[in-house]
Amino acid sequence: MRTSVVRSAALALFCLATPFALQGQEREITGRTLSTDGRALSDVSIELVGTQRGTLSDATGRFHLAIPAGPARLRATFIGYATQTIDVDAAQAEVTITLATDALNLDEIVVTGTATSVARRNLANAVGTVSGSALTETPAASFEQQLAGKIAGADVQSNSGAPGGGMQINLRGVSTIIGQSTPLYIVDGIIVSDISVQSGANVITSAGGGDGFASNQDNAPNRIADLNPNDIESIEILKGAAAAAVYGSKANNGVIIITTKRGKAGAPKFSFTQRFGTSALSNEIGFRRFTSLDDAVTAFGARAADYYSPGAYFDHEKEIAGNNPLSYESDLSISGGDENTRYFVSGLVKRDGGIITGTSYGKQSMRLNLDQSIGSKVSLKLNMNGIHSKTGRGFTNND
């Protein structure tokens, strides 16, 4: 009996001492993450291979990570750069990880579904990808216009040159003559509508003809164009049969998956963009001008004499579309957080003036993306986006 009590007490003391012994066997490794040209890389993910331990580099590229005593292996990953794996000796306390640009983007993580993603090197079919920075390099009516020329096989057309956009994207050709041919749009895992809002001009002009049918002559803007391109992190385009396998018949015309920016652990980061510009008529149709009464009579008959006035003419193109309005765009975003709570907040005020009298486009939007980690296995995500837009389309096209 006494021997059993002694063994139990010894076992209890061993169990209590074991965590402290294991903790004493850990050590801290410090290091920096740099590009091949010596620039510090922030927000690089560094993880201990074979475990769930990891950290992110700060704004100066420095990081700290607790690892077990003895040799270890670290893996560094960063969007746009090739994954780097290094071995750390048992006596090594500081490391420098140099990441090279991934020209083929084989290590890029591609979103293929509402809750699935895979490295590009493991993809079974082609998925087009456009980064968020490529959408804001130059001003455009909407982010869809920036997709032109960046996605192989995508046909991007503009309904008109009216302020506020109005784009049509065709990924897999025309599959129906009575249904929609536009792709399925998914923003942060949520299916969103890209319905075109008709101006109602055909009710007045009857330019589309027919009776009781919706007019395709109205200069209609589409709603997906209201998204703030500065909020977009990346866009994936699914054109193959795999899209229908994930989303069903709704993906018959292809899928455009939009992922917005999210906060990363670290000090708050502020970004402010201000743009100003003007628009002008780029192409004039021209008009016929008669230099003599005989030329006018020859073209229009004897009645032309009642209207002909030597030297007098009116440039109707400049009267209607000769404006040079001021356009502006103001965008402010704040992101940051810690390992448990991360946030991204942005606001946009934009106005595009039209060269045609009475046309314009104005938009105000706000976005909040919040990530909250609860323990090591539970994470909550909150996405909020409010958009207010007002469009003056005018009478153009066949209107």
Short mmCIF file of all heavy atoms in Angstrom, two decimals, residues 305-330:
data_model
loop_
_atom_site.label_atom_id
_atom_site.label_comp_id
_atom_site.label_asym_id
_atom_site.label_seq_id
_atom_site.Cartn_x
_atom_site.Cartn_y
_atom_site.Cartn_z
N ALA A 305 -32.85 76.64 -100.77
CA ALA A 305 -32.65 78.09 -100.83
C ALA A 305 -33.36 78.80 -99.68
O ALA A 305 -32.96 79.90 -99.27
CB ALA A 305 -33.15 78.63 -102.18
N ASP A 306 -34.42 78.18 -99.15
CA ASP A 306 -35.16 78.82 -98.06
C ASP A 306 -34.39 78.74 -96.74
O ASP A 306 -34.69 79.50 -95.79
CB ASP A 306 -36.52 78.15 -97.89
CG ASP A 306 -37.37 78.31 -99.15
OD1 ASP A 306 -37.15 79.29 -99.89
OD2 ASP A 306 -38.23 77.43 -99.40
N TYR A 307 -33.41 77.82 -96.65
CA TYR A 307 -32.70 77.60 -95.37
C TYR A 307 -31.23 77.96 -95.44
O TYR A 307 -30.57 78.04 -94.39
CB TYR A 307 -32.83 76.12 -94.96
CG TYR A 307 -34.27 75.65 -94.88
CD1 TYR A 307 -34.83 74.92 -95.92
CD2 TYR A 307 -35.05 75.94 -93.77
CE1 TYR A 307 -36.14 74.47 -95.85
CE2 TYR A 307 -36.37 75.50 -93.69
CZ TYR A 307 -36.90 74.77 -94.74
OH TYR A 307 -38.21 74.35 -94.68
N TYR A 308 -30.73 78.16 -96.64
CA TYR A 308 -29.29 78.39 -96.78
C TYR A 308 -28.94 79.81 -96.37
O TYR A 308 -29.58 80.78 -96.75
CB TYR A 308 -28.86 78.15 -98.23
CG TYR A 308 -27.39 78.43 -98.47
CD1 TYR A 308 -26.42 77.55 -98.01
CD2 TYR A 308 -26.98 79.59 -99.14
CE1 TYR A 308 -25.08 77.80 -98.22
CE2 TYR A 308 -25.64 79.85 -99.34
CZ TYR A 308 -24.69 78.96 -98.89
OH TYR A 308 -23.35 79.22 -99.10
N SER A 309 -27.90 79.93 -95.53
CA SER A 309 -27.40 81.24 -95.10
C SER A 309 -25.89 81.23 -95.26
O SER A 309 -25.19 80.47 -94.57
CB SER A 309 -27.78 81.51 -93.64
OG SER A 309 -27.24 82.74 -93.21
N PRO A 310 -25.34 82.02 -96.17
CA PRO A 310 -23.89 81.99 -96.43
C PRO A 310 -23.07 82.28 -95.17
O PRO A 310 -23.32 83.24 -94.44
CB PRO A 310 -23.71 83.09 -97.49
CG PRO A 310 -25.06 83.26 -98.10
CD PRO A 310 -26.04 82.98 -97.01
N GLY A 311 -22.12 81.41 -94.91
CA GLY A 311 -21.19 81.61 -93.80
C GLY A 311 -21.71 81.23 -92.44
O GLY A 311 -20.98 81.28 -91.45
N ALA A 312 -23.00 80.86 -92.34
CA ALA A 312 -23.57 80.53 -91.03
C ALA A 312 -23.69 79.01 -90.89
O ALA A 312 -24.22 78.35 -91.79
CB ALA A 312 -24.94 81.17 -90.88
N TYR A 313 -23.15 78.47 -89.81
CA TYR A 313 -23.31 77.04 -89.53
C TYR A 313 -23.19 76.83 -88.02
O TYR A 313 -22.65 77.68 -87.30
CB TYR A 313 -22.26 76.21 -90.27
CG TYR A 313 -20.84 76.42 -89.79
CD1 TYR A 313 -20.28 75.57 -88.85
CD2 TYR A 313 -20.08 77.49 -90.26
CE1 TYR A 313 -18.98 75.77 -88.39
CE2 TYR A 313 -18.78 77.69 -89.82
CZ TYR A 313 -18.25 76.83 -88.89
OH TYR A 313 -16.97 77.03 -88.43
N PHE A 314 -23.69 75.71 -87.59
CA PHE A 314 -23.68 75.37 -86.17
C PHE A 314 -23.04 74.00 -85.97
O PHE A 314 -23.39 73.04 -86.65
CB PHE A 314 -25.11 75.37 -85.60
CG PHE A 314 -25.80 76.70 -85.70
CD1 PHE A 314 -26.62 76.99 -86.78
CD2 PHE A 314 -25.63 77.66 -84.71
CE1 PHE A 314 -27.27 78.21 -86.87
CE2 PHE A 314 -26.26 78.88 -84.81
CZ PHE A 314 -27.08 79.17 -85.88
N ASP A 315 -22.09 73.94 -85.02
CA ASP A 315 -21.44 72.67 -84.69
C ASP A 315 -22.25 72.00 -83.58
O ASP A 315 -22.04 72.24 -82.39
CB ASP A 315 -20.00 72.93 -84.22
CG ASP A 315 -19.20 71.64 -84.10
OD1 ASP A 315 -19.83 70.56 -84.02
OD2 ASP A 315 -17.95 71.70 -84.08
N HIS A 316 -23.19 71.15 -83.97
CA HIS A 316 -24.07 70.53 -82.99
C HIS A 316 -23.33 69.54 -82.10
O HIS A 316 -23.74 69.31 -80.95
CB HIS A 316 -25.23 69.83 -83.71
CG HIS A 316 -26.10 70.77 -84.47
ND1 HIS A 316 -26.95 71.66 -83.86
CD2 HIS A 316 -26.25 70.96 -85.81
CE1 HIS A 316 -27.60 72.37 -84.77
NE2 HIS A 316 -27.19 71.96 -85.97
N GLU A 317 -22.26 68.93 -82.59
CA GLU A 317 -21.50 67.99 -81.76
C GLU A 317 -20.90 68.69 -80.54
O GLU A 317 -20.96 68.19 -79.41
CB GLU A 317 -20.39 67.33 -82.57
CG GLU A 317 -20.90 66.31 -83.56
CD GLU A 317 -19.76 65.60 -84.27
OE1 GLU A 317 -19.24 66.14 -85.27
OE2 GLU A 317 -19.37 64.51 -83.81
N LYS A 318 -20.34 69.86 -80.78
CA LYS A 318 -19.75 70.58 -79.65
C LYS A 318 -20.82 71.16 -78.74
O LYS A 318 -20.62 71.31 -77.54
CB LYS A 318 -18.85 71.70 -80.18
CG LYS A 318 -17.56 71.19 -80.82
CD LYS A 318 -16.64 72.33 -81.21
CE LYS A 318 -15.35 71.79 -81.80
NZ LYS A 318 -14.42 72.90 -82.20
N GLU A 319 -21.98 71.48 -79.31
CA GLU A 319 -23.06 71.98 -78.48
C GLU A 319 -23.56 70.92 -77.51
O GLU A 319 -23.88 71.19 -76.35
CB GLU A 319 -24.23 72.45 -79.36
CG GLU A 319 -23.96 73.72 -80.15
CD GLU A 319 -23.88 74.94 -79.26
OE1 GLU A 319 -24.53 74.93 -78.18
OE2 GLU A 319 -23.17 75.89 -79.61
N ILE A 320 -23.60 69.66 -77.98
CA ILE A 320 -24.14 68.57 -77.15
C ILE A 320 -23.05 67.91 -76.31
O ILE A 320 -23.24 67.65 -75.12
CB ILE A 320 -24.82 67.51 -78.05
CG1 ILE A 320 -26.02 68.14 -78.79
CG2 ILE A 320 -25.27 66.31 -77.22
CD1 ILE A 320 -26.67 67.20 -79.77
N ALA A 321 -21.90 67.63 -76.91
CA ALA A 321 -20.85 66.85 -76.24
C ALA A 321 -19.53 67.61 -76.16
O ALA A 321 -18.46 67.03 -76.27
CB ALA A 321 -20.65 65.52 -76.96
N GLY A 322 -19.60 68.89 -75.96
CA GLY A 322 -18.38 69.68 -75.89
C GLY A 322 -17.96 70.09 -74.50
O GLY A 322 -17.11 70.96 -74.33
N ASN A 323 -18.53 69.45 -73.49
CA ASN A 323 -18.19 69.80 -72.10
C ASN A 323 -16.85 69.19 -71.69
O ASN A 323 -16.44 68.14 -72.21
CB ASN A 323 -19.29 69.34 -71.14
CG ASN A 323 -20.63 70.00 -71.43
OD1 ASN A 323 -20.67 71.16 -71.82
ND2 ASN A 323 -21.71 69.27 -71.24
N ASN A 324 -16.18 69.83 -70.75
CA ASN A 324 -14.94 69.32 -70.16
C ASN A 324 -15.08 69.31 -68.64
O ASN A 324 -14.46 70.10 -67.93
CB ASN A 324 -13.74 70.18 -70.57
CG ASN A 324 -13.50 70.15 -72.06
OD1 ASN A 324 -13.78 71.13 -72.76
ND2 ASN A 324 -13.01 69.04 -72.56
N PRO A 325 -15.88 68.40 -68.10
CA PRO A 325 -16.17 68.41 -66.66
C PRO A 325 -14.99 67.90 -65.84
O PRO A 325 -14.15 67.14 -66.32
CB PRO A 325 -17.36 67.47 -66.54
CG PRO A 325 -17.16 66.50 -67.67
CD PRO A 325 -16.56 67.29 -68.80
N LEU A 326 -14.95 68.30 -64.60
CA LEU A 326 -13.93 67.83 -63.66
C LEU A 326 -14.42 66.54 -63.00
O LEU A 326 -15.53 66.48 -62.47
CB LEU A 326 -13.65 68.88 -62.59
CG LEU A 326 -12.68 68.46 -61.47
CD1 LEU A 326 -11.29 68.24 -62.03
CD2 LEU A 326 -12.65 69.51 -60.36
N SER A 327 -13.58 65.53 -63.03
CA SER A 327 -13.87 64.26 -62.36
C SER A 327 -12.88 64.08 -61.22
O SER A 327 -11.73 64.51 -61.32
CB SER A 327 -13.78 63.09 -63.35
OG SER A 327 -14.69 63.23 -64.41
N TYR A 328 -13.34 63.43 -60.15
CA TYR A 328 -12.45 63.22 -59.02
C TYR A 328 -12.77 61.89 -58.34
O TYR A 328 -13.86 61.33 -58.48
CB TYR A 328 -12.56 64.37 -58.00
CG TYR A 328 -13.93 64.55 -57.41
CD1 TYR A 328 -14.36 63.83 -56.30
CD2 TYR A 328 -14.82 65.48 -57.97
CE1 TYR A 328 -15.61 64.01 -55.77
CE2 TYR A 328 -16.08 65.66 -57.44
CZ TYR A 328 -16.46 64.92 -56.33
OH TYR A 328 -17.72 65.10 -55.81
N GLU A 329 -11.78 61.39 -57.60
CA GLU A 329 -11.93 60.15 -56.85
C GLU A 329 -11.07 60.23 -55.60
O GLU A 329 -9.87 60.51 -55.67
CB GLU A 329 -11.51 58.94 -57.69
CG GLU A 329 -11.56 57.62 -56.94
CD GLU A 329 -11.11 56.45 -57.79
OE1 GLU A 329 -11.23 56.57 -59.04
OE2 GLU A 329 -10.63 55.45 -57.24
N SER A 330 -11.67 60.00 -54.43
CA SER A 330 -10.97 60.03 -53.15
C SER A 330 -11.19 58.70 -52.45
O SER A 330 -12.35 58.30 -52.22
CB SER A 330 -11.47 61.17 -52.27
OG SER A 330 -11.34 62.43 -52.92
#
